[in-house]
Amino acid sequence: MNHHAFTFNDAALWALGSGALFWPDQRLLVVSDLHFGKSERLSAVGGAQLPPYDTRDTLTRLEADLETTGARQVICLGDSFDAPDIGHALPQEELLWITRLQAGRDWVWIEGNHDPGPVGIGGTHVKDLQLDPLVFRHIATVGATCEISGHYHPKARLPLRGRLISRPCFLVDKNRIVMPAYGTYTGGLRSDSAALCRLMAPDAMAILTGKTPAAIPMPRAALA
């Protein structure tokens, strides 16, 4: 399994190349910002007409991560659905797929800014969750410790062989982890943005997703 292993507040964690986070000792898989139903929402409001395969693609990758890790617990860190009640607009095949993935697993939906409150699909619905020593929520809070959150969709931009590349990434410092968006069709906020530079400590690391996850100092200088 392609992953980068690291320790965060005494918890041994794996940053997977897919953008999921795995806690082997707890058999826990964490994903953030799935944004199920984004293409359906945009189509309904006359926005960009995207091929309606984003939820299917996200579920395919999520199922693969669940099977590979053997996770028995799942935490979805908010914005799992692209809008309130969008779950009811998903094709029946996709709703059944979500139900099948939940079977036999302790599944937690954390509230996001796109999907506040219960989403009407099985699992437990909470504002945040503490599993000592870690706390899970959608948006990072100033002054928090041992925190794992999402919301910002961080991406690292860096030069490689004469060109600039952009890669979704985990941002990690001693107090928090900000996870990349897991969903297909999700954009990203560059790590050199003012919001992320204020949030993360000066010595923060970025763990790049992809075939070979790698940890680098968090890019902070804007690149042309």
Side-chain angles (χ1 to χ4, degrees), residues 77-94:
L77 282 181
D79 285 4
S80 300
F81 296 81
D82 200 59
D85 298 323
I86 195 68
H88 300 299
L90 296 179
Q92 188 67 16
E93 174 190 357
E94 294 172 358

Side-chain angles (χ1 to χ4, degrees), residues 36-109:
F36 289 144
K38 183 169 185 175
S39 59
E40 283 85 355
R41 179 185 66 81
L42 290 174
S43 178
V45 300
Q49 300 300 297
L50 299 173
Y53 307 128
D54 53 318
T55 299
R56 208 174 310 168
D57 182 74
T58 301
L59 286 169
T60 297
R61 292 184 290 106
L62 179 56
E63 183 168 23
D65 279 341
L66 290 170
E67 290 179 352
T68 301
T69 60
R72 306 313 302 168
Q73 301 183 71
V74 178
I75 296 176
C76 300
L77 282 181
D79 285 4
S80 300
F81 296 81
D82 200 59
D85 298 323
I86 195 68
H88 300 299
L90 296 179
Q92 188 67 16
E93 174 190 357
E94 294 172 358
L95 291 172
L96 291 174
W97 197 341
I98 294 170
T99 300
R100 179 166 53 83
L101 295 183
Q102 291 178 317
R105 296 186 173 97
D106 181 7
W107 198 286
V108 176
W109 303 103

Side-chain angles (χ1 to χ4, degrees), residues 128-196:
D128 51 42
L129 178 69
Q130 184 158 356
L131 292 177
D132 288 335
L134 307 181
V135 60
F136 300 85
R137 58 173 55 100
H138 180 57
I139 302 177
T141 55
V142 175
T145 59
C146 303
E147 178 187 76
I148 300 179
S149 64
H151 180 64
Y152 289 101
H153 305 197
K155 288 189 173 183
R157 192 166 180 242
L158 62 158
L160 179 67
R161 298 173 184 170
R163 60 190 181 94
L164 292 175
I165 66 167
S166 180
R167 188 81 60 80
C169 64
F170 302 79
L171 298 181
V172 182
D173 64 23
K174 66 179 181 179
N175 292 321
R176 62 175 47 87
I177 298 172
V178 179
M179 290 187 53
Y182 193 87
T184 304
Y185 294 166
T186 50
L189 181 65
R190 282 169 36 180
S191 64
D192 59 16
S193 70
L196 290 174

